[in-house]
Amino acid sequence: MDFSLCHKIIENISRVIVGKNHTVELLLVALLAEGHVLLEDVPGVAKTLLAKSLAKSVGGSFNRVQFTPDLLPADVTGFNIYDQKTCRFSFHPGPVITHVLLADEINRTIPRTQSSLLECMEERQVTVDGQTHHLPSPFFVMATQNPIELEGTFPLPEAQLDRFLLKIRLGYPDKDEEIRILKRFQESDPLQQLNAVATPDDITKLQQARRGIHVSEPIREYIADIVRATRDHPAIRFGASPRGSLALMRAGQARAALHGREFILPDDIKYLTPPVLAHRLILSEEERLRGENSDHTIDELIGQIPVPAAAG
């Protein structure tokens, strides 16, 4: 399978998003790996624009849900309406029935509504009143949360965090990038002129082809060593689960495919370990009181694990 289409998608998104090549690549890694992304960053750094650009580039449908404390699960998944003419209930689909879903400020809604996404993200389906409705393929969730406003927020539970393949940050642009943003958006919105360079069927085929990327035994051992080390590290109270191992392998396959390889390299795993595993870890109370974060712990941990010499 030719994965060069992914580079066309990245180039297309770059017509709207200035810089952030690292973030856009990670977004494509998550899409190919059939995962979801949690974007944690301050307002105004183009999180919504990034989601819309991706949806347009792959020719998929796009829905945005603004999460608020009064949002109900049915507002996300949909609900049944009684039709008096037919004397039957009919399903009214919620915004989750889409290819790309932007769950904006997901930590501003109550845990009950947050958990309504669990089945959607893991099983690609919604169940309403005992009836199961399958989601379109591909189905991709981009959730955002604001790290600086804690009042009125509900931190995502560990079970929800574990459903996100990657947790990434956009960050502020540098001076040159900010000037390019001013020039690009001075007279028009480039998103309006953006055309699709792929179809949802293309993405589904690429996802299926990604599964065939070779994973050697040394790479499998390297992934297992990293994940198991998170469970034994003195600074970590709860390490990553086997879901973390699978996420790291699938993300590694996706990055290898993006770089035109049919096999994973150790560098793929080292590069992806922080965004794949950091949000799945729970640090010990002592480490949190000292102000440490899981990103620093992951970097320290990776440096202690021997890298396999031959992994092709």
Side-chain angles (χ1 to χ4, degrees):
M1 183 74 186
D2 185 5
F3 287 92
S4 61
L5 180 59
C6 296
H7 295 285
K8 293 181 182 178
I9 296 171
I10 291 173
E11 290 172 6
N12 206 48
I13 293 173
S14 297
R15 294 178 182 176
V16 178
I17 305 297
V18 175
K20 309 305 175 193
N21 295 332
H22 163 76
T23 302
V24 175
E25 179 182 290
L26 286 177
L27 206 64
L28 264 292
V29 164
L31 183 63
L32 286 184
E34 301 172 71
H36 309 286
V37 168
L38 177 63
L39 284 170
E40 183 178 78
D41 223 318
V42 296
V45 291
K47 298 187 293 293
T48 301
L49 194 62
L50 182 59
K52 288 183 176 180
S53 300
L54 174 67
K56 271 202 165 187
S57 296
V58 301
S61 54
F62 172 82
N63 281 330
R64 176 180 178 271
V65 180
Q66 181 65 52
F67 281 78
T68 57
D70 59 348
L71 194 74
L72 297 176
D75 296 327
V76 178
T77 60
F79 48 87
N80 286 321
I81 299 176
Y82 185 71
D83 189 335
Q84 292 184 341
K85 293 182 179 179
T86 62
C87 297
R88 298 178 64 182
F89 284 94
S90 60
F91 178 63
H92 181 77
V96 77
I97 311 293
T98 187
H99 289 114
V100 179
L101 176 70
L102 176 64
D104 211 4
E105 295 191 296
I106 192 173
N107 58 331
R108 288 201 172 278
T109 196
I110 57 176
R112 180 186 171 196
T113 304
Q114 289 176 359
S115 64
S116 67
L117 278 176
L118 287 176
E119 181 187 14
C120 309
M121 294 170 68
E122 189 67 19
E123 301 176 42
R124 268 64 176 182
Q125 64 182 36
V126 293
T127 303
V128 178
D129 296 336
Q131 288 188 329
T132 298
H133 306 272
H134 293 284
L135 300 178
S137 180
F139 173 66
F140 184 62
V141 175
M142 283 181 61
T144 71
Q145 61 180 12
N146 182 351
I148 59 176
E149 287 187 27
L150 298 178
E151 186 176 349
T153 62
F154 304 85
L156 289 174
E158 283 69 30
Q160 183 88 16
L161 281 171
D162 204 32
R163 295 304 198 280
F164 289 100
L165 183 82
L166 304 173
K167 181 181 178 183
I168 56 182
R169 297 178 178 88
L170 280 168
Y172 288 119
D174 60 30
K175 182 178 178 179
D176 289 340
E177 289 173 344
E178 195 136 15
I179 291 172
R180 286 166 57 197
I181 290 171
L182 294 175
K183 288 180 179 178
R184 186 170 294 183
F185 286 83
Q186 178 177 341
E187 296 183 358
S188 62
D189 183 354
L191 182 66
Q192 301 302 319
Q193 284 81 45
L194 200 67
N195 296 315
V197 295
T199 66
D201 284 343
D202 290 333
I203 302 302
T204 300
K205 290 175 183 176
L206 289 172
Q207 290 174 336
Q208 292 169 349
R210 183 271 310 162
R211 300 172 193 172
I213 297 295
H214 179 63
V215 185
S216 67
E217 191 61 30
I219 287 293
R220 274 193 285 265
E221 291 184 10
Y222 188 43
I223 292 171
D225 286 343
I226 291 174
V227 173
R228 289 179 65 82
T230 67
R231 302 168 193 166
D232 300 329
H233 197 286
I236 301 174
R237 185 181 178 193
F238 294 107
S241 69
R243 184 183 280 128
S245 304
L246 290 169
L248 196 50
M249 179 186 70
R250 290 166 182 162
Q253 288 177 307
R255 186 169 191 262
L258 282 177
H259 287 261
R261 285 182 272 106
E262 296 181 356
F263 54 88
I264 302 176
L265 293 176
D267 283 348
D268 295 322
I269 303 303
K270 289 179 69 174
Y271 179 82
L272 291 164
T273 293
V276 171
L277 292 187
H279 62 287
R280 303 173 193 269
L281 310 181
I282 301 177
L283 296 182
S284 65
E285 197 66 35
E286 294 81 3
E287 292 297 308
R288 284 186 286 179
L289 289 174
R290 287 169 53 192
E292 294 291 343
N293 60 55
S294 53
D295 292 307
H296 176 267
T297 306
I298 281 284
D299 290 338
E300 177 187 291
L301 182 147
I302 294 172
Q304 298 171 352
I305 298 173
V307 179

